[in-house]
Amino acid sequence: DADVTQTPRNRITKTGKRIMLECSQTKGHDRMYWYRQDPGLGLRLIYYSFDVKDINKGEISDGYSVSRQAQAKFSLSLESAIPNQTALYFCATSDTTSSQETQYFGPGTRLLVL
Amino acid sequence: AQSVSQHNHHVILSEAASLELGCNYSYGGTVNLFWYVQYPGQHLQLLLKYFSGDPLVKGIKGFEAEFIKSKFSFNLRKPSVQWSDTAEYFCAVGAHSGYSTLTFGKGTMLLVSP
């Protein structure tokens, strides 16, 4: 969905480097999420934020941190990247004012850690 | 906690064949159910969703899904697939309460041969 953008779209980094993935949305949604996708494992939730002052760990938060700088922005950081963090990362948003809350996904960031 | 099981990791069909992808979930309460599709190189897009009411849900591109509460299932169907349906399909479940996240299945890769 073009209303959810992610930068960068592709990134190659080295083990031990700090890297930040950014997500922005123009949908006006209050909730934002970070997932990683690995072949055969589906999507797994890393962190989520139900509003600007709310941050929650997901299923696989170790090695990651997040920052919700504003309602529209939610960044994911890898403090010291390791090869098994090589994956496709997706940001998603949802709107609690809708009677049928649905998540909408960004285009993804493909990360390779050497 | 909820969990989702998708029965088939890979499905290969010829064009015009009928499709049924299985999805079972585990959760003790009322659920919201989703099917997402990921075309090659693209992000996840919503195919259809179930929140309440008619258990037979129709989505985009001729897809439908049936919620069978007694079987904890939400199978995806399409009477006649096309080559352009080649994609990975993800079932997801979330609790009906307002403070829920989604749990995704591991995905089913559908390959439709022309």
Side-chain angles (χ1 to χ4, degrees):
Chain A
D1 192 305
D3 299 322
V4 184
T5 58
Q6 293 183 232
T7 56
R9 295 294 311 281
N10 296 279
R11 180 72 183 266
I12 301 174
T13 192
K14 294 182 179 179
T15 298
K17 293 291 188 181
R18 184 178 187 275
I19 182 171
M20 180 182 289
L21 310 182
E22 299 191 0
C23 176
S24 295
Q25 52 118 345
T26 58
K27 299 178 80 70
H29 289 176
D30 48 351
R31 295 184 175 182
M32 299 186 74
Y33 309 81
W34 275 105
Y35 294 89
R36 66 175 280 175
Q37 183 182 17
D38 299 276
L41 297 181
L43 274 77
R44 292 180 292 167
L45 184 62
I46 305 172
Y47 270 95
Y48 60 102
S49 169
F50 280 177
D51 64 42
V52 174
K53 297 181 179 179
D54 176 75
I55 300 290
N56 303 280
K57 292 183 177 181
E59 180 187 351
I60 52 164
S61 59
D62 287 350
Y64 301 94
S65 62
V66 291
S67 172
R68 185 82 184 266
Q69 301 96 320
Q71 187 191 39
K73 296 183 182 297
F74 192 37
S75 300
L76 176 71
S77 293
L78 286 67
E79 298 300 326
S80 179
I82 56 177
N84 77 0
Q85 291 178 313
T86 292
L88 185 55
Y89 290 83
F90 286 106
C91 174
T93 72
S94 66
D95 180 12
T96 52
T97 63
S98 168
S99 62
Q100 295 193 346
E101 184 183 347
T102 302
Q103 291 189 21
Y104 296 94
F105 286 80
T109 294
R110 192 170 296 276
L111 176 65
L112 173 60
V113 182
L114 300 175
Chain B
Q2 56 249 29
S3 65
V4 180
S5 174
Q6 292 184 238
H7 311 307
N8 305 100
H9 196 53
H10 292 93
V11 172
I12 301 174
L13 295 173
S14 299
E15 274 194 316
S18 64
L19 170 71
E20 181 160 3
L21 301 183
C23 173
N24 285 89
Y25 67 92
S26 173
Y27 182 69
T30 306
V31 294
N32 301 326
L33 296 158
F34 304 82
W35 275 98
Y36 284 87
V37 61
Q38 185 178 30
Y39 298 103
Q42 297 189 24
H43 63 285
L44 274 77
Q45 301 173 40
L46 181 69
L47 261 184
L48 47 78
K49 58 187 177 183
Y50 172 81
F51 281 72
S52 63
D54 189 343
L56 185 62
V57 180
K58 295 193 182 298
I60 61 171
K61 304 185 180 185
F63 286 91
E64 65 178 30
E66 184 176 13
F67 170 48
I68 303 179
K69 188 175 181 180
S70 61
K71 295 185 178 180
F72 298 90
S73 70
F74 191 55
N75 292 354
L76 181 70
R77 300 194 293 248
K78 186 171 184 178
S80 176
V81 295
Q82 301 173 317
W83 177 79
S84 58
D85 293 323
T86 293
E88 191 159 20
Y89 293 81
F90 295 93
C91 181
V93 63
H96 201 65
S97 70
Y99 291 92
S100 169
T101 59
L102 291 185
T103 299
F104 284 82
K106 294 184 178 181
T108 297
M109 183 66 217
L110 171 65
L111 177 62
V112 180
S113 58

